[in-house]
Amino acid sequence: MGILSDLDKKLADNLYEHGNRFTDAEAGLPQGVVEIVEQLMPFIQPEARETVKSQILGLIHEYRIEDPRNGVEQDRTD
């Protein structure tokens, strides 16, 4: 039981340290990105704004370029 207890503690500590990325769609994104997404919200129906905002930010998290300053463009599948 000691091994499982240690593993549980490590997982819990990791979740507390990095878990906001799973619950907070804005975590880790530059403020400018969040502001641009917020500016788009008047074009969305009021009852769907929170859902659309979290989906957009989630997609940006999933597909963003890790270091945009390195000059490497993201591959497109147009």
Side-chain angles (χ1 to χ4, degrees), residues 2-47:
I3 294 173
L4 293 178
S5 178
D6 291 342
L7 181 60
D8 184 47
K9 179 169 179 5
K10 288 179 184 178
L11 288 172
D13 291 345
N14 194 21
L15 187 59
Y16 283 123
E17 185 175 342
H18 303 286
N20 65 336
R21 291 191 334 205
F22 300 117
T23 59
D24 183 9
E26 298 177 12
L29 290 177
Q31 187 60 32
V33 171
V34 176
E35 290 172 1
I36 290 171
V37 172
E38 193 63 44
Q39 290 173 358
L40 294 171
M41 290 303 106
F43 298 101
I44 307 300
Q45 296 175 4
E47 63 274 4

Side-chain angles (χ1 to χ4, degrees), residues 43-68:
F43 298 101
I44 307 300
Q45 296 175 4
E47 63 274 4
R49 287 181 182 163
E50 286 303 314
T51 301
V52 171
K53 181 179 176 183
S54 66
Q55 288 175 345
I56 291 171
L57 293 172
L59 287 169
I60 293 170
H61 266 294
E62 187 173 346
Y63 294 107
R64 76 180 189 167
I65 299 170
E66 290 301 320
D67 187 6

